[in-house]
Amino acid sequence: QKEVEQNSGPLSVPEGAIASLNCTYSDRGSQSFFWYRQYSGKSPELIMFIYSNGDKEDGRFTAQLNKASQYVSLLIRDSQPSDSATYLCAVTSGSYIPTFGRGTSLIVHP
Amino acid sequence: NAGVMQNPRHLVRRRGQEARLRCSPMKGHSHVYWYRQLPEEGLKFMVYLQKENIIDESGMPKERFSAEFPKEGPSILRIQQVVRGDSAAYFCASSRRESNSPLHFGNGTRLTVT
């Protein structure tokens, strides 16, 4: 059974700090990795995706992938209160069906 | 333009009634996925469809639930004889043909069974 694990949190960081969100997955054959943000009562919104080992940066967001360790992370620089949400990690392997973690709740306090 | 369109946004049904949830994918997207989310829980995969074809329904309960994506019109998730445990948010997502394409989600249908 393919599993995607995230610490449920909440992760609390001060405004302006770096928030680090982590995700591990069980299927070594996983190929595609996604981060979604979900505000309470809303639908998931795609933030980033990464396919290759290493870092991928987009504005204040950086996704990091380490396939050997089966680990993907999301860094949010200069965190803002508006970043407070649940962050979902999703992983896809050969079946084309993303498996989602349960999400990490992030709280950015002023 | 449209992103993924789901309707209705909220649906209230009494136990034993039928619920029909609709989803139109983004323009250019040919793959549709349905997920269910219970409060404080993650997204659980239900079914993956292409036009006129169910690709994977391994996450669907064996009874009362069905899905379709006809040649014309939206994808439909149908729940017969609803029970209170069916109360949840149901999200539809779509993607392009490529296997590593990210999913884009609709706003969801929040089903309440009374």
Side-chain angles (χ1 to χ4, degrees), chain A residues 57-70:
Chain A
E57 186 173 320
D58 183 1
R60 295 187 297 113
F61 299 98
T62 298
Q64 299 176 317
L65 175 61
N66 184 327
K67 289 187 177 181
S69 300
Q70 296 176 239

Side-chain angles (χ1 to χ4, degrees), chain A residues 32 34 36 38 41-44 46 49 51 88 92 95-98 100-102, chain B residues 33 35 37 40-43 45 48 56 91 99-100 102-107 110:
Chain A
S32 307
F34 308 92
Y36 288 82
Q38 186 175 26
K42 302 295 184 182
S43 62
L46 179 69
F49 53 90
Y51 305 137
L88 304 172
T92 302
S95 68
Y96 309 165
I97 298 168
F100 283 80
R102 293 184 64 164
Chain B
Y33 304 74
Y35 284 81
Q37 187 174 42
E40 308 303 323
E41 293 195 10
L43 289 161
F45 167 73
Y48 164 38
D56 189 314
F91 290 103
S99 62
N100 59 0
L103 270 58
H104 296 266
F105 283 84
N107 287 327
R110 277 137 186 96

Side-chain angles (χ1 to χ4, degrees), chain A residues 16-106:
Chain A
I18 296 175
S20 178
L21 302 158
N22 305 316
C23 173
T24 59
Y25 58 94
S26 62
D27 184 359
R28 190 168 286 279
S30 297
Q31 300 162 341
S32 307
F33 307 86
F34 308 92
W35 283 100
Y36 288 82
R37 176 176 62 199
Q38 186 175 26
Y39 292 111
S40 180
K42 302 295 184 182
S43 62
E45 173 192 8
L46 179 69
I47 296 177
M48 290 195 71
F49 53 90
I50 186 168
Y51 305 137
S52 304
N53 274 331
D55 294 0
K56 179 181 178 182
E57 186 173 320
D58 183 1
R60 295 187 297 113
F61 299 98
T62 298
Q64 299 176 317
L65 175 61
N66 184 327
K67 289 187 177 181
S69 300
Q70 296 176 239
Y71 178 95
V72 58
S73 64
L74 179 70
L75 302 179
I76 306 175
R77 289 182 298 282
D78 188 24
S79 296
Q80 301 298 309
S82 58
D83 294 326
S84 299
T86 296
Y87 289 80
L88 304 172
C89 171
V91 176
T92 302
S93 57
S95 68
Y96 309 165
I97 298 168
T99 299
F100 283 80
R102 293 184 64 164
T104 298
S105 175
L106 173 66

Side-chain angles (χ1 to χ4, degrees), chain B residues 14-28:
Chain B
R14 291 197 182 101
R15 280 180 298 170
Q17 291 184 319
E18 177 179 289
R20 284 190 179 225
L21 288 61
R22 296 174 182 78
C23 170
S24 296
M26 281 180 72
K27 187 175 181 180

